[in-house]
């Protein structure tokens, strides 16, 4: 349920929860409090309370405001404060007025309604241009299980544990201990393969809630299926973030093959994705593969440049580290599309692969960020 | 001496040389050949041959073209090919036509003249808007010793060993073995504290030549003075690169204090300097210190956010990790200046300090790089 820039996600039944938080050394008050609450409640969550526009980070009253907001929500929902997880997103270093949240809560709580899921996704936006949601369901032996996910984020995006804010809900019956490795594995394949501008925020939070409302307790084998579905939902959300990157006009998918292991492949893909020169080349529909090669060379991963092959939009532009002949005009036209792909093979026999999302870097990124705060 | 985009630096006497090259895994042909030549000649250099516009990197004929160019220059200058260091800068992955260089060399060699130093600095430019030179002289016991330096670079700048191209010349009498640690120490305090866009190029090269033409062989103590002067010249050049960063309107100097050691301080300063959100805030004259704090939090260096103090243009904006009261309009006006400073203290008692240069990130960076190659 949403009201302006405040949102409340409530589970009818108390839900099992697992969460991941930013690895930034500077952590916002709601991140610190969420960690405490998860520990105190043994991973049981009734609600998530989210405000957008103010990160409640580097604030003198931060801890107090976060706690009081949770207490107010808990009172309305007749639960304990530590069953409420707070999350904030927005500007850093500005005091957050807790009374505004507390005063808005009763109206929010009255309007709880599952159909308003997309409105919540809209309420948590900051510089996002559109809400980001993803749904999936699967029929297991004992019945159907559903997943719903939402996320926000457009700038300060290079998730390292999670991104900005992501909330994943399922009605499967799962314990916190079962959820934790599922979330970790899904984040590694989704949000950890995403960068808009190489900045990891102070408020990154990803929470998965499983309230068992479906009545379906999955078998160990079925849990693997659910793990896969959680991953799909999070991949879908991560792609939506890249495509809605601040100022972005294009989603760029980078695939790296032939690395020693998946970590090396991820490092290479990340270096390519974070290169402003690669991102501006894509903005200009310029098949400038030399920048891709140079960016990969800075990843700290050993490889032989003479064995590198590169494709853009499926067209080979570099073969054995040298220019491959291609029709420049044709490729430039293909790079005008909304979805661009870069495939980078380091020519080794390694099984390490990575698929990484980013976006192009345009003048609008500058315009948005040269004036966001004031 | 320069002719269009080709330049030749010749030492009347053979000079002692030391050089540093890019740490990018992908190294251009002239980088590889320069390393070989320095080894073969025992650090003796007669000339440096530089072309701009084509990096001679990821090219099938790269090694051959670089070698033939050096041979042609050596013949004209009556020296051995391994006394000539080649250097290239420009687009990656396009074959370089060696005959153009070989044919242009005789005219270049005829016009050798020390007064044309600034013209050489102009010839090696790519997206630079102005040539970058620096001079310094010092009177030692036995006579005067002079230093002259030039560099180029505006994009793909985060030197890791050296930047793009930098040539430092002195008429002091020094051996290659004496020059090497001097160059390393000076680079650590200058080019290694510089980032325009976090991309390290495939062609980074810094060479220092000492030909002894002054007749002055410095004492060990005087060598320390010369080391200091070399550092000043390189700091001056590094600052000029930051100020001429692609699309940049402002030079940003970041000072970090209180870190455990200078490496931690450098890591913090680099993380702040490479944050696109910090750089766009400076472009917009927005005293958004929250972005500075968040960027530092991603440096991988432990610190207590509650002890952080931040100043912008000498005005404290963050005290103990919280907003410090300041006159916003006054600071915004001060941030409109061409030189901006960010001071970041992590509040520890450590002696680690770093002074790092970068520039603001503007729409013009995008415009330049969305269409550089084609």
């Amino acid at each position: 349920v949403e009201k302006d820039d405040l949102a409340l996600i409530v589970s009818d039944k108390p839900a099992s929860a697992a969460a991941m938080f930013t690895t930034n050394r500077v952590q916002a008050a709601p991140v610190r409090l969420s960690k405490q609450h998860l520990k105190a409640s043994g991973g049981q969550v009734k609600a998530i309370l989210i405000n957008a526009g103010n990160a409640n980070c580097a604030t003198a009253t931060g801890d107090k405001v976060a706690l009081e907001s949770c207490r107010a929500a808990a009172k309305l929902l007749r639960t304990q404060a530590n069953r409420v997880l707070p999350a904030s997103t927005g500007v850093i270093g500005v005091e957050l007025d807790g009374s505004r949240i507390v005063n808005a809560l009763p109206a929010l709580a009255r309007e709880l309604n599952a159909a308003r899921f997309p409105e919540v996704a809209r309420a948590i936006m900051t510089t996002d241009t559109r809400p980001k949601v993803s749904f999936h369901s699967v029929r297991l032996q004992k019945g159907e299980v559903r997943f719903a996910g939402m996320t926000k984020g457009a700038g300060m995006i290079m998730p390292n544990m999670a991104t900005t804010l992501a909330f994943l809900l399922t009605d499967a019956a799962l314990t916190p201990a079962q959820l934790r490795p599922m979330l970790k594995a899904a984040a590694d394949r989704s949000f950890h393969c995403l960068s808009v501008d190489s900045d990891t925020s102070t408020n990154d939070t990803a929470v998965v809630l499983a309230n068992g409302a479906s009545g379906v307790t999955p078998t160990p084998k079925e849990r693997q299926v659910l793990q896969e579905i959680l991953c799909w939902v999070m991949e879908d959300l991560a792609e939506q973030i890249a495509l809605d990157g601040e100022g972005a006009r294009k989603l760029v998918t980078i695939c790296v093959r032939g690395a020693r292991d998946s970590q090396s492949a991820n490092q290479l893909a990340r270096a390519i994705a974070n290169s402003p020169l690669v991102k501006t080349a894509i903005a200009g529909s310029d098949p400038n593969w030399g920048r891709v090669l140079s960016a990969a060379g800075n990843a700290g991963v050993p490889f032989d440049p003479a064995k590198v092959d590169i494709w853009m939009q499926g067209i080979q532009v570099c073969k054995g580290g040298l220019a491959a002949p291609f029709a420049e005009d044709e490729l430039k036209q293909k790079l005008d599309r909304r979805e661009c792909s870069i495939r980078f093979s380091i020519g080794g026999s390694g099984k390490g692969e990575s698929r990484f999302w980013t976006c192009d870097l345009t003048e609008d990124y500058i315009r948005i960020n040269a004036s966001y705060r004031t």
Side-chain angles (χ1 to χ4, degrees), chain A:
Chain A
V1 170
E2 64 99 27
K3 191 89 178 178
D4 298 325
D5 47 6
L6 190 66
L8 187 62
I9 298 173
V10 177
S11 176
D12 293 338
K13 305 185 176 190
S16 299
M20 298 173 79
F21 300 97
T22 183
T23 54
N24 197 309
R25 287 271 163 192
V26 181
Q27 308 210 329
V31 167
R32 295 196 304 261
L33 188 60
S34 285
K35 287 181 182 175
Q36 286 175 29
H37 281 186
L38 278 172
K39 208 170 169 185
S41 71
Q44 295 300 315
V45 168
K46 174 73 180 170
I48 306 174
L49 175 62
I50 313 126
N51 73 285
N54 186 319
N56 195 15
C57 177
T59 43
T61 59
D63 294 327
K64 189 166 151 279
V65 166
L67 184 57
E68 282 176 1
S69 308
C70 289
R71 282 194 180 138
K75 204 172 163 192
L76 283 165
L77 301 170
R78 295 166 212 275
T79 184
Q80 295 158 264
N82 66 26
R83 304 291 160 109
V84 180
L85 299 184
S88 300
T89 177
V91 65
I92 299 166
V94 174
E95 298 296 323
L96 175 61
D97 181 358
S99 68
R100 283 188 50 213
I101 295 177
V102 172
N103 293 338
L105 270 171
L108 268 188
R110 271 195 305 274
E111 296 164 22
L112 287 169
N113 180 341
R116 304 188 70 185
F117 192 86
E119 287 175 58
V120 173
R122 186 174 291 278
I124 64 175
M125 301 193 315
T126 50
T127 55
D128 308 60
T129 65
R130 45 187 173 267
K132 301 170 186 70
V133 296
S134 183
F135 303 96
H136 223 285
S137 66
V138 63
R139 180 155 296 281
L140 302 180
Q141 220 180 325
K142 294 177 210 147
E144 192 180 34
V145 160
R146 296 176 301 162
F147 278 85
M150 72 172 70
T151 194
K152 62 84 50 181
M156 211 181 257
I157 302 281
M158 181 172 79
N160 194 354
M161 288 328 285
T163 194
T164 318
L165 305 179
F167 306 109
L168 297 314
L169 315 175
T170 176
D171 56 6
L174 293 159
T175 67
Q178 289 167 343
L179 281 173
R180 276 190 288 268
M182 286 174 67
L183 178 62
K184 169 85 174 65
D188 278 344
R189 275 174 50 193
S190 57
F191 286 101
H192 290 175
C193 296
L194 166 69
S195 175
V196 166
D197 54 7
S198 72
D199 270 321
T200 302
S201 103
T202 51
N203 289 54
D204 285 359
T205 298
V207 180
V208 56
L209 299 185
N211 72 355
S214 64
V216 177
T217 303
T219 64
K221 210 164 184 180
E222 287 176 335
R223 284 211 304 275
Q224 287 181 18
V225 174
L226 297 188
Q227 146 89 64
E228 199 61 26
I229 291 174
L230 178 64
C231 189
W232 290 345
V233 169
M234 289 177 72
E235 286 180 344
D236 185 12
L237 293 173
E239 264 196 76
Q240 292 182 50
I241 289 180
L243 191 55
D244 196 27
E246 286 172 344
R249 284 188 294 262
K250 300 174 186 177
L251 168 70
V252 183
T253 307
I254 296 159
C255 293
V256 171
R257 299 258 161 93
R260 202 180 43 193
D261 48 38
S262 60
Q263 203 205 320
S264 302
N266 186 279
Q267 258 177 275
L268 285 162
R270 187 179 294 265
I272 296 168
N274 279 335
S275 164
L277 291 170
V278 170
K279 294 155 76 87
T280 48
I282 297 290
S285 296
D286 178 6
N288 196 331
W289 59 269
R291 293 183 182 173
V292 176
L293 182 64
S294 178
N298 289 321
V301 173
F303 65 86
D304 180 358
K307 288 187 181 165
V308 166
D309 294 325
I310 304 173
W311 292 258
M312 296 175 94
Q313 303 296 61
I315 294 177
Q316 185 155 20
V317 290
C318 169
K319 192 177 160 68
L322 305 174
F326 61 90
E328 177 115 6
D329 285 349
E330 183 196 343
L331 181 48
K332 280 182 88 68
Q333 272 188 4
K334 287 194 174 179
L335 285 167
D336 281 339
R337 292 184 194 154
R338 205 151 158 261
E339 307 211 347
C340 293
S341 76
I342 298 174
R343 219 163 90 218
F344 187 93
S345 163
I346 63 171
S349 56
K351 298 274 179 238
E353 293 188 1
S354 177
R355 185 254 309 102
F356 205 97
W357 293 289
T358 187
C359 54
D360 58 337
L361 175 58
T362 74
E363 285 103 326
D364 287 335
Y365 179 89
I366 315 290
R367 254 173 242 133
I368 292 165
N369 285 300
S371 59
Y372 171 43
R373 197 186 63 111
T374 45

